[in-house]
Amino acid sequence: MYTFPEIDLLWDLLRIYFTEVAPYFPLLHRPTFEKAVINGRHLLDPSFGALLLAVCAVAARDSQDLRILKQDTKITAGWQWFSQIRLVRPNFVEPTSVHELQLYCVSYLYLRQTNMFDSAWSLVGLGLRLSLDRGIHRLKTSKSRDAESELWIRIFWILRNADVLQGLSLGRPAAIDSEHFDLDRPVECDDGYWEKTEHNESFTQPPGKTSGLSFFTHYNKLVDIAASVQRSVYCVNEVPEYKDDSLTPVERNRKKAMQHDSALNHWLMSLPEHLRWDPNQPDKIRLNHSAILYTTFYWIQLQLHKNFLFRQASDNQQGFPSFAICANAARSTVRISQVLHQRSKNRFEVLVRVRFTL
């Protein structure tokens, strides 16, 4: 059904994806995925084949291969593979699969950097609906976590994060509120430690070695706050916890802002040392992890306070701190971007890292 890249280019694109994209988008399990490609699953299973094409399309933007550079720009790179994918299935009779939902996640990542930005929102919504139909939003693994359940969990959190952040960007409500799901958080364990060995149990991160998934854990918690901002500040009808007739609208808005500011500050204070912003951080991945977390933090501050910038004269006392907070958030984001620009040889990479989810 599909035309894949030449075999040498295919493996080079996989290498790029798992070194340049996967550390910030922990969706796929590299050993399992590469083993499936070696076994030729993409030639037999259309859903896995489509996922592989999407992975190649995303990785093409970081490729320096002349076969890609000759026919594509950085924005359109990978379109020759992505355009082959049929994103919406012909019917909804059969239950969804891991590969189908992973395809929606990777497709979202690809479309976010094209002029079809808003179409990615519909894919995320479809992916969430199929996840709910499968019951992933209630997935509890207790002590029996395996590779498949971990992949389901990662899929749901990525889709939920995308739904909240893109909904805030486009001014649209979330597909699911936090009251309606209670699945496990992703386990903080790197890909190489998922399988049981003679020395360790499965999903056991070696003592003293920080997992790259620590970034994803704190990122999910930050999006929890963004979801609360979306639900309370951008609601059409007032949410129950803020329905207090004894408060004026100004006082009610001030209460919302104070509560969310408190949650954001608590999140910032809870960050472990390796995720705190340090412009001199020598490790590239940790530098980018920190940049993504902090720019997302400042972006949420902007989403929270921009509604309070323009008020009537009687509201000036409320508007002034919002001006200060928004100005500081904007300046801080610019400073982080400048550091990444100085540290990176690839300007497009700076754009992707800072705008990873914004």
Side-chain angles (χ1 to χ4, degrees), residues 26 38 40 61 111 118 161 177 208 240 263 306 317:
I38 292 173
R61 293 191 174 125
L111 291 172
D118 56 343
N161 293 347
D177 292 328
K306 69 180 183 181
Q317 288 183 340

Side-chain angles (χ1 to χ4, degrees), residues 284-328:
K284 173 187 172 182
I285 292 179
R286 287 193 172 184
L287 179 73
N288 288 332
H289 278 170
S290 180
I292 291 170
L293 290 173
Y294 274 75
T295 53
T296 305
F297 170 85
Y298 292 126
W299 182 80
I300 294 172
Q301 278 192 326
L302 290 169
Q303 302 310 304
L304 170 60
H305 286 280
K306 69 180 183 181
N307 271 8
F308 307 134
L309 293 180
F310 306 102
R311 297 285 181 181
Q312 299 298 322
S314 61
D315 297 351
N316 282 343
Q317 288 183 340
Q318 178 183 331
F320 179 75
S322 292
F323 271 113
I325 290 171
C326 288
N328 177 71

Side-chain angles (χ1 to χ4, degrees), residues 108 112 117 161-171 219 222-223 225-227 229-230 234 264 267 291-306 325-326 328-330 332-333 336 354-358:
Y108 161 79
R112 285 301 309 264
F117 162 81
N161 293 347
D163 180 55
V164 170
L165 295 178
Q166 194 166 18
L168 268 174
S169 298
L170 299 174
Y219 185 77
L222 185 57
V223 177
I225 302 174
V229 170
Q230 182 184 35
Y234 292 92
L264 285 167
W267 174 88
I292 291 170
L293 290 173
Y294 274 75
T295 53
T296 305
F297 170 85
Y298 292 126
W299 182 80
I300 294 172
Q301 278 192 326
L302 290 169
Q303 302 310 304
L304 170 60
H305 286 280
K306 69 180 183 181
I325 290 171
C326 288
N328 177 71
S332 298
T333 301
I336 292 173
V354 176
R355 293 285 295 173
F356 176 68
T357 54
L358 309 186

Side-chain angles (χ1 to χ4, degrees), residues 117-169:
F117 162 81
D118 56 343
S119 63
W121 186 75
S122 301
L123 280 181
V124 170
L126 177 58
L128 278 173
R129 287 294 185 190
L130 292 173
S131 299
L132 295 175
D133 182 60
R134 185 82 187 210
I136 304 173
H137 62 300
R138 302 299 312 276
L139 184 57
K140 296 286 188 180
T141 57
S142 60
K143 297 182 180 179
S144 59
R145 182 165 299 202
D146 55 23
E148 183 178 9
S149 64
E150 179 64 16
L151 290 175
W152 284 120
I153 290 170
R154 288 189 180 191
I155 287 168
F156 185 89
W157 282 106
I158 286 176
L159 288 172
R160 184 265 184 161
N161 293 347
D163 180 55
V164 170
L165 295 178
Q166 194 166 18
L168 268 174
S169 298

Side-chain angles (χ1 to χ4, degrees), residues 228-243:
S228 181
V229 170
Q230 182 184 35
R231 179 173 175 268
S232 61
V233 177
Y234 292 92
C235 55
V236 176
N237 298 311
E238 194 67 80
V239 293
E241 54 262 41
Y242 291 104
K243 282 187 177 180

Side-chain angles (χ1 to χ4, degrees), residues 44-326:
L44 304 173
D45 182 348
S47 63
F48 184 78
L51 174 59
L52 179 59
L53 286 175
V55 167
C56 291
V58 170
R61 293 191 174 125
D62 285 311
S63 175
Q64 299 301 315
D65 194 289
L66 292 178
R67 287 168 287 186
I68 296 176
L69 297 178
K70 282 182 178 179
Q71 56 182 321
D72 291 312
T73 65
K74 282 291 186 181
I75 300 298
T76 61
W79 182 250
Q80 57 181 311
W81 300 305
F82 189 82
S83 61
Q84 301 178 52
I85 301 171
R86 182 173 183 172
L87 290 172
V88 181
R89 55 159 80 180
N91 66 73
F92 293 91
V93 177
E94 297 181 1
T96 188
S97 66
V98 167
H99 294 147
E100 181 180 22
L101 293 186
Q102 287 175 332
L103 172 63
Y104 290 143
C105 294
V106 179
S107 298
Y108 161 79
L109 191 60
Y110 181 81
L111 291 172
R112 285 301 309 264
Q113 306 300 329
T114 69
N115 58 2
M116 294 180 288
F117 162 81
D118 56 343
S119 63
W121 186 75
S122 301
L123 280 181
V124 170
L126 177 58
L128 278 173
R129 287 294 185 190
L130 292 173
S131 299
L132 295 175
D133 182 60
R134 185 82 187 210
I136 304 173
H137 62 300
R138 302 299 312 276
L139 184 57
K140 296 286 188 180
T141 57
S142 60
K143 297 182 180 179
S144 59
R145 182 165 299 202
D146 55 23
E148 183 178 9
S149 64
E150 179 64 16
L151 290 175
W152 284 120
I153 290 170
R154 288 189 180 191
I155 287 168
F156 185 89
W157 282 106
I158 286 176
L159 288 172
R160 184 265 184 161
N161 293 347
D163 180 55
V164 170
L165 295 178
Q166 194 166 18
L168 268 174
S169 298
L170 299 174
R172 298 170 183 172
I176 182 172
D177 292 328
S178 57
E179 295 87 352
H180 299 133
F181 62 87
D182 62 350
L183 78 164
D184 290 338
R185 298 272 183 175
V187 66
E188 291 190 19
C189 181
D190 294 331
D191 285 4
Y193 308 108
W194 280 28
E195 297 180 0
K196 184 177 181 179
T197 66
E198 58 180 326
H199 302 292
N200 297 100
E201 294 295 322
S202 58
F203 292 97
T204 303
Q205 186 75 9
K209 183 174 182 179
T210 303
S211 171
L213 266 291
S214 173
F215 153 75
F216 194 49
T217 296
H218 290 277
Y219 185 77
N220 290 339
K221 293 178 180 179
L222 185 57
V223 177
D224 288 342
I225 302 174
S228 181
V229 170
Q230 182 184 35
R231 179 173 175 268
S232 61
V233 177
Y234 292 92
C235 55
V236 176
N237 298 311
E238 194 67 80
V239 293
E241 54 262 41
Y242 291 104
K243 282 187 177 180
D244 188 345
D245 295 334
S246 65
L247 298 178
T248 66
V250 172
E251 291 172 334
R252 193 177 297 120
N253 288 331
R254 185 180 296 116
K255 179 181 178 182
K256 293 178 183 179
M258 290 176 61
Q259 289 184 350
H260 294 312
D261 275 333
S262 177
L264 285 167
N265 291 331
H266 182 269
W267 174 88
L268 191 62
M269 295 299 294
S270 69
L271 277 180
E273 189 64 31
H274 69 277
L275 291 177
R276 294 188 177 277
W277 174 247
D278 177 8
N280 299 314
Q281 168 63 253
D283 187 277
K284 173 187 172 182
I285 292 179
R286 287 193 172 184
L287 179 73
N288 288 332
H289 278 170
S290 180
I292 291 170
L293 290 173
Y294 274 75
T295 53
T296 305
F297 170 85
Y298 292 126
W299 182 80
I300 294 172
Q301 278 192 326
L302 290 169
Q303 302 310 304
L304 170 60
H305 286 280
K306 69 180 183 181
N307 271 8
F308 307 134
L309 293 180
F310 306 102
R311 297 285 181 181
Q312 299 298 322
S314 61
D315 297 351
N316 282 343
Q317 288 183 340
Q318 178 183 331
F320 179 75
S322 292
F323 271 113
I325 290 171
C326 288

